[in-house]
């Protein structure tokens, strides 16, 4: 169960703990023509169960509702590539993504979009998963950060 939806980081309202995780794992180099954001989610499920889904580079549809299908090339190690089909209603139908980093001890996954029929250029993301206590029970803090080029004709806010 999710306690809140994704929140775009604006520098206000995050606990010191969340800010420390963002600073430690989610400091991305953002160039002049790029934008970035960090998204935070609190889940009332133990970290080992959440990580068992998030780490599955071959099955993003298990936790990303906009993904309808995924086919992986490679052995699910760093460098593996997946072809993701996106559900209708989004401005894309496919995305080709490469696994850049996977750390099961620290619960970190990083990927980069390397192709597809969308406007996302130089998109890379980092997802980290952290244990926390929610209402006295084991829960999970998930943070996802990304950086991407701002498409021609768009503003950073639109992107």
């Amino acid at each position: 169960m999710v306690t809140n939806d994704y929140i775009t980081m604006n520098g206000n309202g995050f606990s010191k703990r969340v800010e420390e995780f963002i600073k430690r794992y989610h400091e991305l180099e953002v160039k002049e023509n790029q934008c970035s954001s960090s998204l935070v989610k609190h889940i009332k499920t133990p970290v080992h169960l959440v990580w068992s889904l998030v780490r599955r580079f071959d099955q993003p549809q298990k936790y990303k509702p906009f993904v309808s299908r995924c086919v992986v090339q490679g052995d699910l190690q760093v460098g593996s590539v997946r072809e993701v089909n996106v559900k209708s209603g989004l401005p894309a139908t496919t995305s080709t993504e490469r696994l850049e980093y996977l750390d099961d001890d620290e619960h970190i996954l990083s990927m980069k979009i390397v192709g597809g029929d969308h406007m996302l250029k130089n998109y890379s993301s980092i997802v980290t998963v952290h244990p926390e206590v929610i209402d006295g029970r084991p829960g999970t803090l998930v943070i996802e950060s990304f950086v991407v080029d701002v498409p021609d004709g768009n503003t950073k806010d639109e992107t």
Side-chain angles (χ1 to χ4, degrees):
M1 179 176 174
V2 176
T3 58
N4 66 304
D5 290 329
Y6 279 129
I7 302 167
T8 301
M9 186 179 119
N10 61 8
N12 298 320
F14 287 127
S15 72
K16 188 165 185 71
R17 183 171 181 261
V18 171
E19 288 178 3
E20 287 172 7
F21 285 138
I22 290 172
K23 187 173 184 172
R24 181 173 177 189
Y25 299 107
H26 299 269
E27 289 286 322
L28 303 170
E29 181 183 341
V30 181
K31 298 176 183 165
E32 186 176 330
N33 67 328
Q34 294 182 318
C35 65
S36 69
S37 186
S38 292
L39 310 165
V40 175
K41 203 170 218 178
H42 300 274
I43 303 173
K44 291 183 176 181
T45 303
V47 71
H48 73 277
L49 294 175
V50 174
W51 180 245
S52 71
L53 292 175
V54 171
R55 75 162 317 280
R56 293 298 305 261
F57 187 70
D58 60 331
Q59 295 182 357
Q61 65 273 26
K62 296 280 186 182
Y63 67 96
K64 292 184 180 244
F66 57 86
V67 174
S68 62
R69 182 171 172 261
C70 176
V71 177
V72 174
Q73 303 165 7
D75 56 3
L76 295 179
Q77 300 297 318
V78 170
S80 295
V81 174
R82 68 184 179 194
E83 184 77 22
V84 174
N85 290 30
V86 180
K87 292 182 179 177
S88 64
L90 294 175
T93 57
T94 64
S95 181
T96 306
E97 304 167 352
R98 182 176 58 230
L99 181 61
E100 296 289 303
Y101 186 78
L102 181 64
D103 185 324
D104 284 318
D105 295 327
E106 294 288 326
H107 302 134
I108 304 169
L109 181 141
S110 176
M111 57 77 75
K112 181 177 280 196
I113 292 180
V114 295
D117 66 346
H118 47 70
M119 296 175 28
L120 301 177
K121 303 295 181 215
N122 294 314
Y123 177 99
S124 61
S125 72
I126 298 171
V127 179
T128 60
V129 177
H130 311 275
E132 70 175 354
V133 176
I134 301 173
D135 299 330
R137 301 183 62 113
T140 302
L141 167 66
V142 179
I143 304 171
E144 182 171 7
S145 298
F146 68 88
V147 62
V148 66
D149 288 358
V150 176
D152 290 338
N154 286 64
T155 66
K156 288 184 177 188
D157 286 339
E158 291 169 333
T159 303

